[in-house]
Amino acid sequence: MLLHRDVVVTNPKKVFWPDEGYTKADLVAYYDRIAPFMLPYLKDRPVVLTRYPDGIKGKSFFQKDAPEWVPPWIRTERVYSKDAGRDIDYFIVNDRESLRYVANLGTIPLHMWGSRIGSLERPDWLVLDLDPKGAPFTDVVKVAHALHRLLEELALPSYVKTSGATGLHILLPLGARYDGEIVRTFARLLAMLGVEAEPDISTIARPLRSRDGKVYVDWGQNGHGQTIVAPFAVRPLPAAPVSCPLRWAEVTARLEPGRFTIKTAPARFEKQGDPMAPVLGAGIDLVAALQGLERRLGR
DNA sequence: GACTCGC
DNA sequence: GCGAGTCAACGCTAC
DNA sequence: GTAGCG
Ligand SMILES: [Mn+2]
Ligand SMILES: [Mn+2]
């Protein structure tokens, strides 16, 4: 492997979260400490950085294309973008120093593809993103439970995390077994069934104005080049909350997603381990799942 | 945040 | 050596 | 073709 140099934090005392006084050094220290839990998810995936070089109150921008000047030990992978009509050299964050490097660029959240280099057309998970738009978080919990019940009926394993902001993400393991197009279709079907179970409080309608007060069941992040906020990613919000893997038993009306921050999350996972880790393991049998759904519709 | 350019 | 200027996103659906 | 959304 190319020789790494240790990433020295530039401007370590720069305040990134003014209300709390958290600094850029705090951000990098968090990513450094959570790396053992976070890196398995990032491994071999194109990532999208959301950079806030002047902290959460400053101007931000997305970054997909790694500049020419990144050090040679930073891995990048070239992926053709049809829409942009060009190649993009995505950052690949497979080790602690690379994570420290992108954090030092002022990256607060990292988003990641659902698929890996070598199997870019076959995602490792299906994701449903439950987003309250003016809805109470307790409604997000209700919709999550409706989906969890449905998935249990179908004998499908699922894992849940906070988005770090106001929503929840439900992931099903796929093990890169299926083409993204099929996955997308199945995700839309699951989203529709979730809304069917909780029609008064959820929707799959895309326009923001038409979903006010409801939980948006977003299946659209399943697809080529689509991303989700990585588990353990930090959000540019007061208190520096993080996307936090949960046990299903924790998903109750009393769940407070804001409790999980760069200050509280590391101890939690060092103590309890990561309940979402199995999503990276063996994938479900989609054909059997569709047969199960057919039986269910027959009743 | 980090690079390049002009002075 | 310094300040100024520049750059850092795309995929997809619904209309 | 593109506005809207993530
Ligand atoms: Mn969301
Ligand atoms: Mn700056």
Side-chain angles (χ1 to χ4, degrees):
Chain A
M1 190 194 279
L2 278 62
L3 258 36
H4 293 203
R5 215 186 50 211
D6 290 353
V7 171
V8 177
V9 181
T10 53
N11 292 311
K13 301 203 159 139
K14 186 164 183 177
V15 175
F16 268 32
W17 280 265
D19 293 348
E20 296 77 13
Y22 299 161
T23 62
K24 194 180 169 204
D26 292 327
L27 175 69
V28 178
Y30 165 77
Y31 275 124
D32 189 278
R33 185 168 169 197
I34 211 71
F37 300 98
M38 186 171 191
L39 288 171
Y41 295 97
L42 297 178
K43 186 172 167 52
D44 294 341
R45 282 175 221 289
V47 299
V48 179
L49 314 180
T50 315
R51 292 178 53 192
Y52 289 76
D54 297 312
I56 69 168
K57 300 284 173 68
K59 183 173 149 47
S60 69
F61 55 91
F62 296 101
Q63 186 159 29
K64 296 185 174 183
D65 203 11
E68 292 293 338
W69 45 258
V70 297
W73 55 267
I74 290 286
R75 183 169 157 208
T76 62
E77 288 289 344
R78 191 154 291 180
V79 180
Y80 179 69
S81 159
K82 198 171 196 173
D83 235 32
R86 65 178 182 121
D87 288 327
I88 295 179
D89 292 322
Y90 280 93
F91 287 97
I92 305 291
V93 180
N94 279 4
D95 55 66
R96 189 191 297 251
E97 273 325 283
S98 298
L99 186 55
R100 288 174 55 87
Y101 181 83
V102 296
N104 184 56
L105 292 175
T107 300
I108 298 185
L110 290 86
H111 289 68
M112 58 181 181
W113 282 39
S115 56
R116 284 167 290 147
I117 298 298
S119 54
L120 284 178
E121 305 312 319
R122 282 173 286 119
D124 295 296
W125 52 71
L126 179 159
V127 59
L128 295 176
D129 175 6
L130 310 188
D131 241 320
K133 183 57 176 70
F137 187 72
T138 49
D139 284 356
V140 179
V141 169
K142 282 182 193 164
V143 177
H145 281 157
L147 283 162
H148 189 215
R149 277 195 303 277
L150 167 65
L151 295 168
E152 298 264 82
E153 275 182 50
L154 298 171
L156 295 178
S158 62
Y159 301 91
V160 61
K161 67 184 181 77
T162 67
S163 72
T166 54
L168 290 175
H169 294 168
I170 298 174
L171 276 71
L172 279 66
L174 296 176
R177 290 177 66 183
Y178 304 100
D179 185 84
E181 202 52 51
I182 294 157
V183 174
R184 203 175 166 74
T185 302
F186 190 60
R188 178 174 51 215
L189 180 57
L190 289 177
M192 292 188 315
L193 290 167
V195 170
E196 191 178 87
E198 291 287 1
D200 296 336
I201 58 170
S202 66
T203 179
I204 55 168
R206 186 80 139 122
L208 274 169
R209 358 167 51 91
S210 72
R211 52 171 141 116
D212 198 39
K214 293 199 174 186
V215 178
Y216 176 44
V217 184
D218 183 3
W219 52 270
Q221 295 312 109
N222 299 282
H224 183 84
Q226 301 294 88
T227 61
I228 59 170
V229 170
F232 308 103
V234 185
R235 308 311 299 264
L237 296 170
V242 305
S243 178
C244 184
L246 302 168
R247 289 171 271 110
W248 271 110
E250 295 178 286
V251 182
T252 72
R254 281 173 302 288
L255 173 63
E256 298 168 54
R259 278 198 10 240
F260 309 112
T261 72
I262 61 171
K263 296 300 182 186
T264 64
R268 167 190 162 93
F269 290 98
E270 284 162 7
K271 207 163 299 166
Q272 305 182 17
D274 173 11
M276 182 167 270
V279 81
L280 296 170
I284 62 171
D285 185 338
L286 256 190
V287 176
L290 282 166
Q291 286 169 350
L293 269 180
E294 230 170 272
R295 276 196 300 280
R296 191 173 174 281
L297 288 169
R299 292 192 267 112

PDB file of all heavy atoms in Angstrom, chain A residues 245-271:
ATOM      1  N   PRO A 245     -27.278   3.732  14.233  1.00  0.00           N
ATOM      2  CA  PRO A 245     -27.906   2.411  14.172  1.00  0.00           C
ATOM      3  C   PRO A 245     -28.607   2.077  15.494  1.00  0.00           C
ATOM      4  O   PRO A 245     -28.082   2.368  16.573  1.00  0.00           O
ATOM      5  CB  PRO A 245     -26.724   1.466  13.926  1.00  0.00           C
ATOM      6  CG  PRO A 245     -25.718   2.309  13.201  1.00  0.00           C
ATOM      7  CD  PRO A 245     -25.854   3.671  13.844  1.00  0.00           C
ATOM      8  N   LEU A 246     -29.777   1.458  15.386  1.00  0.00           N
ATOM      9  CA  LEU A 246     -30.604   1.155  16.555  1.00  0.00           C
ATOM     10  C   LEU A 246     -30.974  -0.318  16.570  1.00  0.00           C
ATOM     11  O   LEU A 246     -30.942  -0.986  15.535  1.00  0.00           O
ATOM     12  CB  LEU A 246     -31.908   1.964  16.491  1.00  0.00           C
ATOM     13  CG  LEU A 246     -31.805   3.485  16.412  1.00  0.00           C
ATOM     14  CD1 LEU A 246     -33.176   4.075  16.066  1.00  0.00           C
ATOM     15  CD2 LEU A 246     -31.290   4.053  17.728  1.00  0.00           C
ATOM     16  N   ARG A 247     -31.363  -0.813  17.761  1.00  0.00           N
ATOM     17  CA  ARG A 247     -32.078  -2.085  17.836  1.00  0.00           C
ATOM     18  C   ARG A 247     -33.554  -1.768  17.622  1.00  0.00           C
ATOM     19  O   ARG A 247     -34.031  -0.706  18.047  1.00  0.00           O
ATOM     20  CB  ARG A 247     -31.870  -2.737  19.204  1.00  0.00           C
ATOM     21  CG  ARG A 247     -30.464  -3.262  19.418  1.00  0.00           C
ATOM     22  CD  ARG A 247     -30.201  -3.721  20.859  1.00  0.00           C
ATOM     23  NE  ARG A 247     -29.704  -2.619  21.673  1.00  0.00           N
ATOM     24  CZ  ARG A 247     -30.404  -2.027  22.654  1.00  0.00           C
ATOM     25  NH1 ARG A 247     -31.613  -2.448  22.963  1.00  0.00           N
ATOM     26  NH2 ARG A 247     -29.893  -1.017  23.318  1.00  0.00           N
ATOM     27  N   TRP A 248     -34.286  -2.663  17.010  1.00  0.00           N
ATOM     28  CA  TRP A 248     -35.709  -2.394  16.765  1.00  0.00           C
ATOM     29  C   TRP A 248     -36.428  -2.089  18.082  1.00  0.00           C
ATOM     30  O   TRP A 248     -37.362  -1.295  18.124  1.00  0.00           O
ATOM     31  CB  TRP A 248     -36.384  -3.556  16.028  1.00  0.00           C
ATOM     32  CG  TRP A 248     -36.290  -3.409  14.530  1.00  0.00           C
ATOM     33  CD1 TRP A 248     -35.536  -4.157  13.677  1.00  0.00           C
ATOM     34  CD2 TRP A 248     -36.979  -2.447  13.717  1.00  0.00           C
ATOM     35  NE1 TRP A 248     -35.701  -3.711  12.380  1.00  0.00           N
ATOM     36  CE2 TRP A 248     -36.590  -2.668  12.374  1.00  0.00           C
ATOM     37  CE3 TRP A 248     -37.882  -1.411  13.981  1.00  0.00           C
ATOM     38  CZ2 TRP A 248     -37.074  -1.901  11.311  1.00  0.00           C
ATOM     39  CZ3 TRP A 248     -38.364  -0.648  12.924  1.00  0.00           C
ATOM     40  CH2 TRP A 248     -37.960  -0.899  11.606  1.00  0.00           C
ATOM     41  N   ALA A 249     -35.979  -2.735  19.174  1.00  0.00           N
ATOM     42  CA  ALA A 249     -36.627  -2.523  20.472  1.00  0.00           C
ATOM     43  C   ALA A 249     -36.509  -1.082  20.947  1.00  0.00           C
ATOM     44  O   ALA A 249     -37.274  -0.630  21.804  1.00  0.00           O
ATOM     45  CB  ALA A 249     -36.020  -3.468  21.512  1.00  0.00           C
ATOM     46  N   GLU A 250     -35.549  -0.356  20.394  1.00  0.00           N
ATOM     47  CA  GLU A 250     -35.377   1.050  20.782  1.00  0.00           C
ATOM     48  C   GLU A 250     -36.305   1.982  20.010  1.00  0.00           C
ATOM     49  O   GLU A 250     -36.420   3.160  20.346  1.00  0.00           O
ATOM     50  CB  GLU A 250     -33.929   1.494  20.523  1.00  0.00           C
ATOM     51  CG  GLU A 250     -32.901   0.780  21.365  1.00  0.00           C
ATOM     52  CD  GLU A 250     -31.496   1.229  21.016  1.00  0.00           C
ATOM     53  OE1 GLU A 250     -31.003   0.826  19.937  1.00  0.00           O
ATOM     54  OE2 GLU A 250     -30.905   1.986  21.799  1.00  0.00           O
ATOM     55  N   VAL A 251     -36.916   1.461  18.962  1.00  0.00           N
ATOM     56  CA  VAL A 251     -37.786   2.290  18.125  1.00  0.00           C
ATOM     57  C   VAL A 251     -39.165   2.342  18.782  1.00  0.00           C
ATOM     58  O   VAL A 251     -40.044   1.530  18.504  1.00  0.00           O
ATOM     59  CB  VAL A 251     -37.863   1.744  16.683  1.00  0.00           C
ATOM     60  CG1 VAL A 251     -38.732   2.648  15.812  1.00  0.00           C
ATOM     61  CG2 VAL A 251     -36.460   1.635  16.087  1.00  0.00           C
ATOM     62  N   THR A 252     -39.321   3.292  19.695  1.00  0.00           N
ATOM     63  CA  THR A 252     -40.571   3.466  20.432  1.00  0.00           C
ATOM     64  C   THR A 252     -40.938   4.938  20.406  1.00  0.00           C
ATOM     65  O   THR A 252     -40.154   5.779  19.952  1.00  0.00           O
ATOM     66  CB  THR A 252     -40.414   3.055  21.915  1.00  0.00           C
ATOM     67  OG1 THR A 252     -39.613   4.057  22.567  1.00  0.00           O
ATOM     68  CG2 THR A 252     -39.743   1.694  22.054  1.00  0.00           C
ATOM     69  N   ALA A 253     -42.113   5.235  20.913  1.00  0.00           N
ATOM     70  CA  ALA A 253     -42.578   6.630  20.958  1.00  0.00           C
ATOM     71  C   ALA A 253     -41.636   7.497  21.777  1.00  0.00           C
ATOM     72  O   ALA A 253     -41.606   8.712  21.617  1.00  0.00           O
ATOM     73  CB  ALA A 253     -43.989   6.697  21.534  1.00  0.00           C
ATOM     74  N   ARG A 254     -40.870   6.861  22.662  1.00  0.00           N
ATOM     75  CA  ARG A 254     -39.973   7.648  23.515  1.00  0.00           C
ATOM     76  C   ARG A 254     -38.572   7.824  22.926  1.00  0.00           C
ATOM     77  O   ARG A 254     -37.711   8.454  23.547  1.00  0.00           O
ATOM     78  CB  ARG A 254     -39.889   6.998  24.901  1.00  0.00           C
ATOM     79  CG  ARG A 254     -41.085   7.319  25.790  1.00  0.00           C
ATOM     80  CD  ARG A 254     -41.072   6.537  27.095  1.00  0.00           C
ATOM     81  NE  ARG A 254     -41.053   5.088  26.875  1.00  0.00           N
ATOM     82  CZ  ARG A 254     -42.105   4.386  26.420  1.00  0.00           C
ATOM     83  NH1 ARG A 254     -43.230   5.005  26.126  1.00  0.00           N
ATOM     84  NH2 ARG A 254     -42.030   3.095  26.267  1.00  0.00           N
ATOM     85  N   LEU A 255     -38.350   7.270  21.737  1.00  0.00           N
ATOM     86  CA  LEU A 255     -37.031   7.418  21.106  1.00  0.00           C
ATOM     87  C   LEU A 255     -36.731   8.894  20.824  1.00  0.00           C
ATOM     88  O   LEU A 255     -37.553   9.610  20.272  1.00  0.00           O
ATOM     89  CB  LEU A 255     -37.014   6.626  19.789  1.00  0.00           C
ATOM     90  CG  LEU A 255     -35.758   6.792  18.906  1.00  0.00           C
ATOM     91  CD1 LEU A 255     -34.515   6.289  19.620  1.00  0.00           C
ATOM     92  CD2 LEU A 255     -35.950   6.059  17.584  1.00  0.00           C
ATOM     93  N   GLU A 256     -35.530   9.320  21.231  1.00  0.00           N
ATOM     94  CA  GLU A 256     -35.096  10.698  20.951  1.00  0.00           C
ATOM     95  C   GLU A 256     -33.841  10.661  20.074  1.00  0.00           C
ATOM     96  O   GLU A 256     -32.741  10.470  20.589  1.00  0.00           O
ATOM     97  CB  GLU A 256     -34.773  11.425  22.258  1.00  0.00           C
ATOM     98  CG  GLU A 256     -35.951  11.581  23.201  1.00  0.00           C
ATOM     99  CD  GLU A 256     -35.488  12.035  24.585  1.00  0.00           C
ATOM    100  OE1 GLU A 256     -34.784  13.071  24.651  1.00  0.00           O
ATOM    101  OE2 GLU A 256     -35.792  11.336  25.569  1.00  0.00           O
ATOM    102  N   PRO A 257     -34.012  10.849  18.773  1.00  0.00           N
ATOM    103  CA  PRO A 257     -32.863  10.757  17.852  1.00  0.00           C
ATOM    104  C   PRO A 257     -31.773  11.782  18.176  1.00  0.00           C
ATOM    105  O   PRO A 257     -30.599  11.549  17.884  1.00  0.00           O
ATOM    106  CB  PRO A 257     -33.470  11.062  16.480  1.00  0.00           C
ATOM    107  CG  PRO A 257     -34.946  10.981  16.645  1.00  0.00           C
ATOM    108  CD  PRO A 257     -35.262  11.189  18.083  1.00  0.00           C
ATOM    109  N   GLY A 258     -32.184  12.897  18.779  1.00  0.00           N
ATOM    110  CA  GLY A 258     -31.220  13.946  19.095  1.00  0.00           C
ATOM    111  C   GLY A 258     -30.247  13.589  20.211  1.00  0.00           C
ATOM    112  O   GLY A 258     -29.278  14.319  20.448  1.00  0.00           O
ATOM    113  N   ARG A 259     -30.507  12.461  20.892  1.00  0.00           N
ATOM    114  CA  ARG A 259     -29.612  12.042  21.974  1.00  0.00           C
ATOM    115  C   ARG A 259     -28.279  11.525  21.458  1.00  0.00           C
ATOM    116  O   ARG A 259     -27.292  11.449  22.205  1.00  0.00           O
ATOM    117  CB  ARG A 259     -30.269  10.928  22.791  1.00  0.00           C
ATOM    118  CG  ARG A 259     -31.252  11.396  23.834  1.00  0.00           C
ATOM    119  CD  ARG A 259     -31.532  10.308  24.895  1.00  0.00           C
ATOM    120  NE  ARG A 259     -30.649   9.159  24.834  1.00  0.00           N
ATOM    121  CZ  ARG A 259     -31.045   7.903  24.625  1.00  0.00           C
ATOM    122  NH1 ARG A 259     -32.322   7.634  24.449  1.00  0.00           N
ATOM    123  NH2 ARG A 259     -30.181   6.920  24.587  1.00  0.00           N
ATOM    124  N   PHE A 260     -28.256  11.132  20.201  1.00  0.00           N
ATOM    125  CA  PHE A 260     -27.042  10.500  19.661  1.00  0.00           C
ATOM    126  C   PHE A 260     -26.209  11.549  18.937  1.00  0.00           C
ATOM    127  O   PHE A 260     -26.584  12.027  17.865  1.00  0.00           O
ATOM    128  CB  PHE A 260     -27.428   9.353  18.741  1.00  0.00           C
ATOM    129  CG  PHE A 260     -28.393   8.391  19.372  1.00  0.00           C
ATOM    130  CD1 PHE A 260     -29.695   8.273  18.909  1.00  0.00           C
ATOM    131  CD2 PHE A 260     -28.014   7.618  20.469  1.00  0.00           C
ATOM    132  CE1 PHE A 260     -30.591   7.387  19.495  1.00  0.00           C
ATOM    133  CE2 PHE A 260     -28.899   6.732  21.060  1.00  0.00           C
ATOM    134  CZ  PHE A 260     -30.197   6.613  20.581  1.00  0.00           C
ATOM    135  N   THR A 261     -25.115  11.916  19.523  1.00  0.00           N
ATOM    136  CA  THR A 261     -24.277  13.003  18.992  1.00  0.00           C
ATOM    137  C   THR A 261     -22.811  12.561  18.933  1.00  0.00           C
ATOM    138  O   THR A 261     -22.456  11.475  19.389  1.00  0.00           O
ATOM    139  CB  THR A 261     -24.351  14.252  19.894  1.00  0.00           C
ATOM    140  OG1 THR A 261     -23.636  13.984  21.109  1.00  0.00           O
ATOM    141  CG2 THR A 261     -25.800  14.612  20.224  1.00  0.00           C
ATOM    142  N   ILE A 262     -21.978  13.472  18.399  1.00  0.00           N
ATOM    143  CA  ILE A 262     -20.537  13.157  18.352  1.00  0.00           C
ATOM    144  C   ILE A 262     -19.959  12.961  19.747  1.00  0.00           C
ATOM    145  O   ILE A 262     -18.909  12.353  19.903  1.00  0.00           O
ATOM    146  CB  ILE A 262     -19.725  14.226  17.593  1.00  0.00           C
ATOM    147  CG1 ILE A 262     -19.816  15.613  18.235  1.00  0.00           C
ATOM    148  CG2 ILE A 262     -20.146  14.317  16.132  1.00  0.00           C
ATOM    149  CD1 ILE A 262     -18.839  16.642  17.632  1.00  0.00           C
ATOM    150  N   LYS A 263     -20.659  13.448  20.762  1.00  0.00           N
ATOM    151  CA  LYS A 263     -20.155  13.282  22.129  1.00  0.00           C
ATOM    152  C   LYS A 263     -20.655  11.999  22.786  1.00  0.00           C
ATOM    153  O   LYS A 263     -19.984  11.452  23.662  1.00  0.00           O
ATOM    154  CB  LYS A 263     -20.560  14.492  22.994  1.00  0.00           C
ATOM    155  CG  LYS A 263     -19.954  15.804  22.535  1.00  0.00           C
ATOM    156  CD  LYS A 263     -18.414  15.763  22.557  1.00  0.00           C
ATOM    157  CE  LYS A 263     -17.824  17.087  22.133  1.00  0.00           C
ATOM    158  NZ  LYS A 263     -16.363  17.051  22.010  1.00  0.00           N
ATOM    159  N   THR A 264     -21.860  11.528  22.395  1.00  0.00           N
ATOM    160  CA  THR A 264     -22.449  10.372  23.085  1.00  0.00           C
ATOM    161  C   THR A 264     -22.316   9.058  22.312  1.00  0.00           C
ATOM    162  O   THR A 264     -22.314   7.980  22.916  1.00  0.00           O
ATOM    163  CB  THR A 264     -23.947  10.614  23.356  1.00  0.00           C
ATOM    164  OG1 THR A 264     -24.638  10.717  22.105  1.00  0.00           O
ATOM    165  CG2 THR A 264     -24.157  11.895  24.159  1.00  0.00           C
ATOM    166  N   ALA A 265     -22.239   9.130  20.984  1.00  0.00           N
ATOM    167  CA  ALA A 265     -22.294   7.900  20.192  1.00  0.00           C
ATOM    168  C   ALA A 265     -21.094   6.962  20.407  1.00  0.00           C
ATOM    169  O   ALA A 265     -21.290   5.748  20.522  1.00  0.00           O
ATOM    170  CB  ALA A 265     -22.470   8.231  18.714  1.00  0.00           C
ATOM    171  N   PRO A 266     -19.866   7.483  20.462  1.00  0.00           N
ATOM    172  CA  PRO A 266     -18.743   6.535  20.557  1.00  0.00           C
ATOM    173  C   PRO A 266     -18.836   5.582  21.751  1.00  0.00           C
ATOM    174  O   PRO A 266     -18.665   4.370  21.593  1.00  0.00           O
ATOM    175  CB  PRO A 266     -17.526   7.466  20.649  1.00  0.00           C
ATOM    176  CG  PRO A 266     -17.940   8.697  19.904  1.00  0.00           C
ATOM    177  CD  PRO A 266     -19.399   8.880  20.262  1.00  0.00           C
ATOM    178  N   ALA A 267     -19.167   6.103  22.924  1.00  0.00           N
ATOM    179  CA  ALA A 267     -19.254   5.234  24.115  1.00  0.00           C
ATOM    180  C   ALA A 267     -20.353   4.187  23.945  1.00  0.00           C
ATOM    181  O   ALA A 267     -20.187   3.024  24.323  1.00  0.00           O
ATOM    182  CB  ALA A 267     -19.512   6.081  25.360  1.00  0.00           C
ATOM    183  N   ARG A 268     -21.477   4.615  23.362  1.00  0.00           N
ATOM    184  CA  ARG A 268     -22.590   3.678  23.140  1.00  0.00           C
ATOM    185  C   ARG A 268     -22.125   2.470  22.333  1.00  0.00           C
ATOM    186  O   ARG A 268     -22.407   1.328  22.690  1.00  0.00           O
ATOM    187  CB  ARG A 268     -23.728   4.383  22.401  1.00  0.00           C
ATOM    188  CG  ARG A 268     -24.808   3.453  21.848  1.00  0.00           C
ATOM    189  CD  ARG A 268     -25.764   4.199  20.918  1.00  0.00           C
ATOM    190  NE  ARG A 268     -26.534   3.307  20.070  1.00  0.00           N
ATOM    191  CZ  ARG A 268     -27.745   2.833  20.357  1.00  0.00           C
ATOM    192  NH1 ARG A 268     -28.320   3.166  21.505  1.00  0.00           N
ATOM    193  NH2 ARG A 268     -28.377   2.029  19.535  1.00  0.00           N
ATOM    194  N   PHE A 269     -21.407   2.716  21.212  1.00  0.00           N
ATOM    195  CA  PHE A 269     -21.055   1.601  20.342  1.00  0.00           C
ATOM    196  C   PHE A 269     -19.869   0.809  20.875  1.00  0.00           C
ATOM    197  O   PHE A 269     -19.785  -0.401  20.660  1.00  0.00           O
ATOM    198  CB  PHE A 269     -20.866   2.097  18.913  1.00  0.00           C
ATOM    199  CG  PHE A 269     -22.172   2.514  18.311  1.00  0.00           C
ATOM    200  CD1 PHE A 269     -22.551   3.852  18.282  1.00  0.00           C
ATOM    201  CD2 PHE A 269     -23.069   1.565  17.868  1.00  0.00           C
ATOM    202  CE1 PHE A 269     -23.785   4.235  17.783  1.00  0.00           C
ATOM    203  CE2 PHE A 269     -24.315   1.932  17.369  1.00  0.00           C
ATOM    204  CZ  PHE A 269     -24.671   3.279  17.324  1.00  0.00           C
ATOM    205  N   GLU A 270     -18.972   1.466  21.587  1.00  0.00           N
ATOM    206  CA  GLU A 270     -17.874   0.726  22.208  1.00  0.00           C
ATOM    207  C   GLU A 270     -18.422  -0.232  23.269  1.00  0.00           C
ATOM    208  O   GLU A 270     -17.881  -1.313  23.490  1.00  0.00           O
ATOM    209  CB  GLU A 270     -16.872   1.718  22.824  1.00  0.00           C
ATOM    210  CG  GLU A 270     -16.010   2.383  21.743  1.00  0.00           C
ATOM    211  CD  GLU A 270     -15.322   3.664  22.202  1.00  0.00           C
ATOM    212  OE1 GLU A 270     -15.393   3.992  23.403  1.00  0.00           O
ATOM    213  OE2 GLU A 270     -14.717   4.348  21.345  1.00  0.00           O
ATOM    214  N   LYS A 271     -19.505   0.146  23.907  1.00  0.00           N
ATOM    215  CA  LYS A 271     -20.140  -0.678  24.940  1.00  0.00           C
ATOM    216  C   LYS A 271     -21.021  -1.772  24.344  1.00  0.00           C
ATOM    217  O   LYS A 271     -20.950  -2.932  24.733  1.00  0.00           O
ATOM    218  CB  LYS A 271     -20.984   0.233  25.837  1.00  0.00           C
ATOM    219  CG  LYS A 271     -21.185  -0.261  27.249  1.00  0.00           C
ATOM    220  CD  LYS A 271     -21.678   0.901  28.153  1.00  0.00           C
ATOM    221  CE  LYS A 271     -20.682   2.041  28.220  1.00  0.00           C
ATOM    222  NZ  LYS A 271     -21.249   3.286  28.790  1.00  0.00           N
TER     223      LYS A 271
END
